[in-house]
Amino acid sequence: MIEVNNISRSYGKVKALRDVSFSVGKGEVFGLIGPDGAGKTSMFRILCTLLLADEGTATVDGFDVVKQMTDIRKRVGYMPGRFSLYQDLTVEENLKFFATLFGTTVDEGYDSIKAIYSQIERFKDRKAGALSGGMKQKLALSCALVHQPSVLFLDEPTTGVDPVSRKEFWEMLSMLKERDITIVASTPYLDEVRQCERVAFLSEGKVMGIDTPEIILDQFKDIFNPPGITRKQDCSKGDAREMEGTSKGQESPNVIEVSHLVKAFGDFHAVDDISFTVRRGEIFGFLGANGAGKTTAMHMLTGLNQPTSGTGRVAGFDIRTEHEQIKKHIGYMSQRFSLYEDLTVAENIRLFAGIYGMQKNEIARKTDELLKQLKFEEHKNDLVGSLPLGWKQKLAFSVSIFHEPAIVFLDEPTGGVDPATRRQFWELIYEAAARGITVFVTTHYMDEAEYCDRISIMVDGKISAMGTPEELKHNLHQPDMDHVFTYLARKAKRGE
């Protein structure tokens, strides 16, 4: 179904693909895997006729990607890494738009998407931007399938989606395979890699190996299964140093105190009466399925939104009346990177340090220290937009704690990143916690949940369970955090 022969592609001096060759059989589920910057997205774009190769040839369903691109576009469905939906159009409007784009209608293609689209059809008048991650995923897949393609290209389609929704997505792909649709997918999740029949491992634009997932994951285990991380210091027991410049109210051992917090939008309670505390220097995991209320709760804690009722203190300040003070004493790294891509590495560091009110001589000294720590000295004048995803994340985290805040909020900081880079990121988190910085983190990687001191799991706007990873596994009689999360998330009753 797909033939790739000696494909190469460069962007200036950067060689994204180097003499890549592989083939995919009809009806096969084939994985393109590898670290950030390996060339996976460039390969997808070439096969979808969105990008021309510098050298080599490729065919999809027997058609040449250069000479017969119109024929290919009728036969392929494509879900890029960032959802290809129009956020300000409704569910139904998005689907109609993509059907029109491919010269068909929703009615004509309905049977091919019914099993998937029927799960979200009752929300057809809701704007795509207001959907949860799992619902966006189902809509994007429906849009990619509405013209009944023979080949489906999926470039990290489940990044930023909770484990239960990811499992449901791959169940949908199994249904498509039964219809003999050929699927080529990239993913950073090892459980999804194992769902493929064969995988090609790309690194620095080269094919390093093609075989079954088990053989490839074992052959390159240093990359896909790096050794675990050991905490150098346990700051969760109250032995973290007192923060310099302690603010009022910080005599408490808790850096976050929340009591009966509610956030309602009309009759809908996104956050429904939650109470918890987080200790100074603790790594606190804040988990939940898409739509459970995590982001809404985090917005209240960071001063970005006001609660409907209840009380809360962050870094000693009241979340209702002192939210501007809270913003000065916290760090924040969002799921979408808070860096300016058209500024250099050094310029981003100086900009945010200035926003945090740091002095020029201190900024200069700490900038040099940070560049050395990250091994970015040679890249300080590189535009952030040119950096690999994993580098951006490490830089964004380092910038978020540059001013030594009492607490840093991390909203799915490692989404879409390979295991080796995620491990390096968590080493930075451990170093921050060892300095007494509290880390409040949301993640959809359940192996990362194991790294937290304590975890809370939200279901339907409420905290369904809280404790150490070991306590949760023991109390709920589950073998690992993935099973704990799935067990609790499947109890959700309210609609997405």
Side-chain angles (χ1 to χ4, degrees):
M1 185 58 80
I2 297 169
E3 286 280 354
V4 175
N5 297 301
N6 310 111
I7 288 286
S8 295
R9 169 72 197 198
S10 296
Y11 302 96
K13 295 180 181 179
V14 178
K15 292 189 176 180
L17 294 168
R18 307 167 186 244
D19 198 27
V20 172
S21 298
F22 62 88
S23 62
V24 181
K26 183 175 175 61
E28 185 176 13
V29 179
F30 187 86
L32 271 183
I33 62 174
D36 305 309
K40 303 184 297 295
T41 297
S42 293
M43 192 73 252
F44 275 111
R45 289 176 178 168
I46 289 170
L47 293 175
C48 291
T49 75
L50 301 174
L51 184 69
L52 291 174
D54 297 330
E55 299 174 18
T57 62
T59 61
V60 176
D61 202 3
F63 295 93
D64 185 275
V65 294
V66 178
K67 299 173 184 175
Q68 299 167 298
M69 60 173 64
T70 303
D71 294 292
I72 288 176
R73 290 178 182 178
K74 294 175 183 175
R75 289 165 171 80
V76 303
Y78 178 47
M79 276 181 68
R82 297 177 186 272
F83 287 119
S84 54
L85 302 172
Y86 290 88
Q87 305 295 314
D88 54 348
L89 295 185
T90 66
V91 167
E92 186 176 43
E93 287 169 343
N94 266 281
L95 193 59
K96 284 182 177 179
F97 173 77
F98 280 93
T100 304
L101 205 61
F102 289 111
T104 185
T105 64
V106 175
D107 288 342
E108 192 174 338
Y110 189 80
D111 286 344
S112 65
I113 64 170
K114 181 179 178 180
I116 300 165
Y117 184 61
S118 62
Q119 299 176 44
I120 58 171
E121 194 167 9
R122 67 185 187 278
F123 303 108
K124 65 182 182 180
D125 295 325
R126 185 181 295 185
K127 287 189 176 182
L131 300 177
S132 71
M135 291 173 72
K136 282 181 180 177
Q137 203 180 39
K138 290 168 186 171
L139 176 57
L141 186 56
S142 297
C143 291
L145 291 168
V146 71
H147 62 298
Q148 304 176 59
S150 56
V151 185
L152 188 60
F153 291 101
L154 308 171
D155 190 2
E156 297 190 2
T158 56
T159 294
V161 179
D162 67 83
V164 173
S165 295
R166 289 199 297 107
K167 288 184 177 74
E168 291 175 351
F169 184 83
W170 278 85
E171 288 168 4
M172 290 187 282
L173 295 187
S174 295
M175 293 184 337
L176 298 179
K177 176 176 168 53
E178 290 174 6
R179 286 162 40 191
D180 224 19
I181 294 176
T182 304
I183 298 169
V184 181
S186 68
T187 176
Y189 296 98
L190 298 190
D191 58 327
E192 295 184 357
V193 171
R194 294 187 179 97
Q195 298 274 352
C196 300
E197 292 163 86
R198 287 188 307 136
V199 296
F201 171 48
L202 289 177
S203 181
E204 297 182 349
K206 297 179 183 177
V207 175
M208 310 304 290
I210 300 176
D211 216 313
T212 63
E214 292 75 16
I215 290 174
I216 293 296
L217 293 179
D218 181 65
Q219 187 177 351
F220 300 98
K221 58 188 173 187
D222 290 346
I223 295 170
F224 293 106
N225 191 22
I229 312 171
T230 304
R231 290 286 288 276
K232 293 178 183 177
Q233 178 182 351
D234 186 1
C235 294
S236 65
K237 308 301 183 195
D239 59 352
R241 68 160 175 79
E242 291 296 310
M243 298 297 297
E244 294 179 8
T246 300
S247 304
K248 66 166 186 158
Q250 286 225 29
E251 294 78 9
S252 167
N254 298 321
V255 77
I256 297 178
E257 296 176 337
V258 170
S259 179
H260 301 293
L261 204 61
V262 173
K263 181 63 180 180
F265 298 95
D267 294 332
F268 178 72
H269 284 201
V271 175
D272 192 7
D273 193 16
I274 63 173
S275 300
F276 64 93
T277 60
V278 180
R279 296 186 292 273
R280 195 166 307 158
E282 186 174 22
I283 299 176
F284 187 81
F286 199 58
L287 309 185
N290 296 108
K294 305 185 307 297
T295 300
T296 303
M298 191 179 284
H299 283 173
M300 288 188 282
L301 296 177
T302 54
L304 298 175
N305 216 329
Q306 294 295 295
T308 303
S309 62
T311 61
R313 300 187 77 81
V314 173
F317 299 98
D318 191 297
I319 63 172
R320 283 182 170 278
T321 60
E322 299 175 296
H323 35 88
E324 291 305 318
Q325 285 296 321
I326 288 174
K327 292 174 187 176
K328 294 177 182 177
H329 290 84
I330 65 172
Y332 182 74
M333 179 179 165
S334 69
Q335 190 176 354
R336 295 178 176 83
F337 300 113
S338 49
L339 298 173
Y340 290 91
E341 302 223 331
D342 54 351
L343 296 182
T344 67
V345 169
E347 287 168 344
N348 266 281
I349 295 172
R350 287 199 298 271
L351 171 66
F352 284 96
I355 291 172
Y356 291 133
M358 296 174 64
Q359 299 300 312
K360 283 187 178 180
N361 59 343
E362 185 185 14
I363 292 173
R365 176 182 59 80
K366 290 199 68 176
T367 296
D368 289 341
E369 290 175 359
L370 177 58
L371 291 171
K372 186 175 181 180
Q373 177 194 359
L374 295 177
K375 297 183 173 62
F376 276 18
E377 296 105 318
E378 295 182 4
H379 301 282
K380 68 178 182 180
N381 294 320
D382 291 359
L383 292 178
V384 163
S386 70
L387 300 179
L389 179 62
W391 289 27
K392 289 180 186 177
Q393 283 175 309
K394 287 188 282 188
L395 179 62
F397 175 69
S398 299
V399 168
S400 73
I401 61 170
F402 197 69
H403 58 306
E404 295 289 323
I407 180 170
V408 60
F409 290 88
L410 307 175
D411 191 2
E412 294 177 30
T414 55
V417 177
D418 62 89
T421 305
R422 289 199 292 114
R423 185 188 187 281
Q424 293 169 10
F425 189 90
W426 273 86
E427 287 174 344
L428 295 177
I429 289 178
Y430 278 179
E431 289 170 9
R435 300 204 305 272
I437 296 175
T438 302
V439 179
F440 188 100
V441 59
T442 71
T443 180
H444 287 320
Y445 290 99
M446 291 303 104
D447 60 324
E448 293 184 353
E450 301 273 4
Y451 295 153
C452 299
D453 296 314
R454 282 191 306 140
I455 293 165
S456 80
I457 300 179
M458 287 189 72
V459 177
D460 290 347
K462 298 178 181 291
I463 292 178
S464 182
M466 185 182 298
T468 67
E470 291 305 316
E471 287 171 348
L472 293 175
K473 288 183 282 189
H474 177 266
N475 293 342
L476 297 173
H477 310 290
Q478 301 296 326
D480 53 40
M481 282 306 303
D482 186 63
H483 282 80
V484 167
F485 184 95
T486 302
Y487 172 77
L488 292 172
R490 289 200 186 279
K491 292 187 173 183
K493 291 185 175 130
R494 73 186 188 191
E496 292 189 87

